[in-house]
């Protein structure tokens, strides 16, 4: 959690190329392109990893699958926030491009592609992609307890992955075009770097491309497929949205195998506006968080929910709500309530006057916060 735990995003992102080579126009060009590919690789590989986990949860609705999907979706959000604010370092100058073009290389559009990615691309992350992933996070934390919502989340995740794969294919095709324009030695160098650092990009298109015309034809086909896909996806989303509006009162509780202690989700907290954090704490009190493409074998033993712009009355209302469900605090003051859970776990609910933030921390035990209607529907 940002306010209570310092989360470290270990990027392992080192520019390649020019540091180990003579600093020439060609080396600067190759380095710039490879570093852009790395960002694309890192983003979409992590997104697709999380999307696969979301779909797995929808196909096998278990508590373990739910937490794993939540944890990796949260990491994906943090990664996208990072890239949305990370300027792409472009070292090759307009003079470098002029010199390379003068040697017969048709790469005039490459600099525009990089600059567009650095500006429009980052804007798209901040304005569109983060919204998409915030929706996935809210779905996983609150809405996926309803069977219809879970099915819609899976559809959206599958479509998002298809779109990501087409974006990877686009970068792969542009890279192939560049390879065909470069002299043989430099083309081999770029191919080596691209295959080493960006395997997801380079595996997006495996058919042989022998001429630039082949690449352009495939690019035209890709654009047509993207346009058709986006149109179909929008139609599907509108159809689903209308169905959900027409069936607002028909909630179907989704059975989730292996649910732990069920607690009510705080009524004052909007799922889309809250922040959620799963993490691990060992016996020495050391904290660790998820890493990219992580294969989670042991579920996080701590969870935090942070919600801003709330009043003291919202904290008090949640303590009273817990009392309605049979939970009384073992320790309490005006702004904090501590609950000792079975098995040695703890639940801490507190309100920060300075930040006007309601914070709920569960540690040492698995706890599931669910909508009240779900708790009532599944009560034995």
């Amino acid at each position: 959690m940002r306010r209570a735990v310092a989360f470290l995003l270990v990027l392992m992102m080192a520019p390649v190329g020019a540091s180990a080579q003579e600093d020439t126009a060609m080396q600067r060009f190759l380095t710039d392109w490879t570093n852009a590919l790395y960002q694309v690789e890192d983003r979409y590989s992590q997104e697709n990893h999380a999307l696969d986990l979301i779909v797995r949860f929808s196909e096998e609705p278990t508590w373990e699958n739910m937490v794993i999907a939540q944890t990796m979706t949260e990491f994906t959000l943090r990664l996208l926030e990072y890239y949305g604010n990370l300027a792409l370092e472009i070292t090759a100058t307009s003079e470098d491009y002029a010199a390379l073009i003068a040697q017969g290389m048709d790469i005039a559009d490459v600099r525009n592609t990089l600059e567009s990615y650095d500006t429009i691309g980052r804007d798209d992350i901040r304005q569109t992609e983060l919204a998409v992933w915030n929706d996935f996070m809210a779905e996983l934390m609150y809405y996926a307890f309803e069977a219809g919502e879970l099915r819609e989340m899976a559809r959206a995740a599958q479509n998002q992955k298809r779109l990501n794969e087409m974006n990877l294919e686009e970068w792969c095709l542009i890279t192939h075009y560049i390879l065909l324009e470069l002299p043989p030695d430099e083309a081999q160098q770029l191919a080596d770097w691209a295959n080493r650092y960006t395997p997801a990009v380079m595996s997006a298109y495996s058919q042989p491309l022998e001429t630039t015309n082949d690449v352009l034809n495939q690019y035209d086909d890709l654009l047509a497929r993207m346009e058709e896909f986006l149109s179909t996806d929008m139609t599907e989303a509108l159809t689903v949205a209308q169905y959900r509006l027409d069936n607002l009162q028909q909630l179907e509780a989704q059975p989730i195998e292996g649910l732990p202690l069920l607690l009510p989700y705080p009524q004052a907290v909007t799922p889309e506006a809250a922040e959620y954090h799963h993490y691990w704490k060992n016996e020495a009190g050391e904290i660790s968080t998820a890493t990219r493409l992580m294969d989670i074998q042991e579920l996080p033993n701590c969870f935090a929910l942070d919600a801003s712009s709330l009043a003291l009355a919202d904290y008090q209302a949640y303590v009273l709500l817990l009392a309605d469900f049979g939970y009384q605090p073992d320790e309490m003051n005006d702004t904090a309530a501590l609950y000792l859970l079975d098995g040695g776990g703890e639940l801490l609910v507190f309100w920060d006057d300075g930040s006007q933030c309601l914070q709920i921390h569960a540690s040492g035990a698995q706890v599931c916060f669910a909508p009240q209607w779900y708790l009532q529907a599944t009560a034995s």
Side-chain angles (χ1 to χ4, degrees):
M1 74 212 95
R2 293 181 187 172
R3 302 176 182 88
V5 177
F7 278 78
L8 300 178
L9 189 63
V10 182
L11 289 171
M12 300 182 295
M13 180 178 175
V16 299
S19 60
Q21 302 285 341
E22 182 183 356
D23 188 18
T24 64
M26 176 61 77
Q27 289 301 318
R28 288 189 290 272
F29 169 79
L30 296 178
T31 299
D32 288 351
W33 186 254
T34 307
N35 285 334
L37 283 187
Y38 182 88
Q39 288 197 21
V40 171
E41 170 92 9
D42 202 32
R43 282 175 50 203
Y44 288 128
S45 293
Q46 176 58 40
E47 284 193 32
N48 287 348
H49 177 61
L51 292 167
D52 284 341
L53 295 173
I54 291 172
V55 172
R56 185 178 76 176
F57 165 58
S58 72
E59 295 174 344
E60 301 175 46
T62 68
W63 172 244
E64 179 178 348
N65 286 343
M66 188 178 201
V67 173
I68 290 173
Q70 291 170 348
T71 303
M72 295 314 298
T73 295
E74 177 205 337
F75 178 86
T76 304
L77 268 170
R78 302 289 84 82
L79 186 67
L80 288 172
E81 287 176 345
Y82 175 83
Y83 278 128
N85 292 287
L86 178 68
L88 178 65
E89 184 179 0
I90 301 175
T91 60
T93 65
S94 56
E95 290 77 15
D96 291 334
Y97 276 86
L100 297 175
I101 292 169
Q103 297 174 38
M105 295 170 236
D106 183 13
I107 57 171
D109 290 335
V110 175
R111 184 176 177 86
N112 291 334
T113 299
L114 293 176
E115 290 177 343
S116 176
Y117 177 78
D118 188 42
T119 54
I120 298 174
R122 285 192 290 124
D123 286 344
D124 185 61
I125 292 175
R126 292 191 296 265
Q127 297 172 15
T128 303
E129 286 205 40
L130 281 174
V132 169
W133 283 89
N134 272 311
D135 284 347
F136 279 131
M137 195 76 232
E139 288 281 343
L140 286 166
M141 295 305 308
Y142 188 84
Y143 298 104
F145 292 95
E146 203 279 321
E149 292 283 356
L150 181 58
R151 289 191 293 270
E152 167 57 13
M153 181 182 66
R155 184 200 68 81
Q158 289 166 333
N159 281 359
Q160 184 64 42
K161 185 175 180 183
R162 287 178 59 196
L163 181 60
N164 288 352
E165 289 170 344
M166 284 188 279
N167 285 325
L168 286 169
E169 185 177 348
E170 180 179 19
W171 283 87
C172 181
L173 286 171
I174 298 172
T175 302
H176 276 288
Y177 188 92
I178 295 171
L179 290 172
L180 291 167
E181 288 295 320
L182 296 178
D185 289 346
E186 285 74 11
Q188 186 61 53
Q189 185 177 14
L190 177 58
D192 290 344
W193 286 350
N195 287 314
R196 182 190 312 168
Y197 294 107
T198 60
V201 172
M202 297 309 290
S203 64
Y205 203 88
S206 58
Q207 297 182 30
L209 298 167
E210 298 179 354
T211 69
T212 54
N213 279 337
D214 290 338
V215 176
L216 293 174
N217 288 335
Q218 293 300 328
Y219 195 83
D220 288 341
D221 175 70
L222 172 63
L223 293 180
R225 285 187 282 119
M226 290 179 97
E227 182 177 358
E228 180 181 5
F229 167 77
L230 291 172
S231 176
T232 302
D233 182 52
M234 183 176 295
T235 301
E236 288 179 357
L238 289 173
T239 300
V240 171
Q242 186 60 53
Y243 175 82
R244 289 157 73 182
L245 284 173
D246 294 340
N247 296 273
L248 285 176
Q249 305 304 318
Q250 300 179 24
L251 297 175
E252 179 187 352
Q254 171 63 53
I256 299 174
E257 182 182 343
L259 282 174
L261 174 65
L262 276 173
L263 293 178
Y265 189 92
Q267 291 176 302
V269 177
T270 304
E272 292 81 0
E275 292 186 0
Y276 311 96
H277 309 289
H278 290 281
Y279 60 99
W280 293 262
K281 183 188 291 185
N282 63 20
E283 293 181 355
E286 298 170 330
I287 288 173
S288 58
T289 61
T291 57
R292 60 173 34 78
L293 304 180
M294 186 176 185
D295 181 15
I296 296 175
Q297 299 297 318
E298 180 180 351
L299 295 186
N301 59 359
C302 298
F303 170 77
L305 182 158
D306 294 355
S308 301
S309 302
L310 295 180
L312 177 61
D314 297 314
Y315 154 76
Q316 294 167 337
Y318 188 59
V319 171
L320 291 174
L321 179 61
L322 288 174
D324 289 342
F325 280 84
Y327 296 96
Q328 297 293 335
D330 292 85
E331 298 180 28
M332 185 178 181
N333 60 32
D334 289 343
T335 58
L338 177 66
Y339 302 79
L340 301 180
L341 306 176
D342 292 341
E346 294 183 352
L347 177 72
L348 178 62
V349 181
F350 65 101
W351 180 73
D352 188 322
D353 184 23
S355 62
Q356 300 287 292
C357 177
L358 176 66
Q359 301 181 13
I360 302 173
H361 299 172
S363 60
Q366 296 290 315
V367 177
C368 176
F369 294 88
Q372 289 183 53
W373 72 265
Y374 187 81
L375 272 65
Q376 294 163 353
T378 55
S380 55

